Amino acid sequence: MVRSAGALDFVPFLGGIGSHVEVAGHPPDEREPGPIVYQARTSPGFFEAAGIPLLKGRAIGPSDGDGAPPVCNIDETVAKSIFANLDPIGMKVLLPIPSVTCTIIGVVGATKMQTLAREPTPRIYYSSGIHGSKNLPLSQLTLVVKAERDPLGLV
């Protein structure tokens, strides 16, 4: 039996797209542009299926699909490095790819991107319904499933 399922375009340890992000209303400091943040298109259910805890706010859900305002979740690494002493919920960030401004709705646990030996990599997860992202082929999404028994039995 499937307990939860979701999808993601760049699974940890398999690469991704990283860039600097801009916080709306806070011009970037060109001398110190901030950390590289990896961006991932995700669907409702991904965090639960992947075992990534929701620390604050809410996770991307079914109501965040096509036609809904663009939203995203940030991980705790982004919350600490970019927002330091601010509450990021409700703030807006400009994502260079897919070139959209989205509202932060929640903070999730950090994940490692390249190796287990390195520190967690800053990540922003944006709704799969964001305009521009839906033009990406579904073949680029990886299905993540949490099952009560051996997941190979579901295949």
Side-chain angles (χ1 to χ4, degrees), residues 32-154:
E32 293 185 36
I36 297 290
V37 177
Y38 286 83
Q39 298 148 49
R41 174 175 62 145
T42 188
S43 74
F46 167 72
F47 299 117
E48 183 181 354
I52 299 172
L54 177 65
L55 305 176
K56 185 175 192 174
R58 69 175 183 88
I60 291 168
S63 64
D64 298 315
D66 290 345
V71 296
C72 58
N73 289 105
I74 62 172
D75 76 2
E76 61 188 315
T77 308
V78 173
K80 290 175 186 171
S81 63
I82 295 178
F83 296 96
N85 299 319
L86 300 172
D87 180 1
I89 306 298
M91 296 186 81
K92 296 183 182 304
V93 291
L94 172 62
L95 302 178
I97 302 167
S99 187
V100 68
T101 299
C102 63
T103 302
I104 298 168
I105 58 169
V107 178
V108 298
T111 59
K112 297 194 175 192
M113 182 77 175
Q114 294 147 346
T115 72
L116 292 175
R118 289 190 181 176
E119 293 296 315
T121 305
R123 291 188 69 129
I124 291 181
Y125 302 89
Y126 62 90
S127 169
S128 58
I130 286 181
H131 175 72
S133 72
K134 61 186 170 192
N135 296 327
L136 297 173
L138 291 177
S139 62
Q140 291 184 354
L141 292 176
T142 300
L143 182 63
V144 179
V145 177
K146 181 182 271 186
E148 288 188 19
R149 297 193 178 135
D150 181 8
L152 292 177
L154 299 172

Side-chain angles (χ1 to χ4, degrees), residues 6-25:
L8 181 78
D9 62 355
F10 291 108
V11 179
F13 303 107
L14 295 179
I17 297 172
S19 66
H20 298 287
V21 296
E22 187 177 325
V23 178

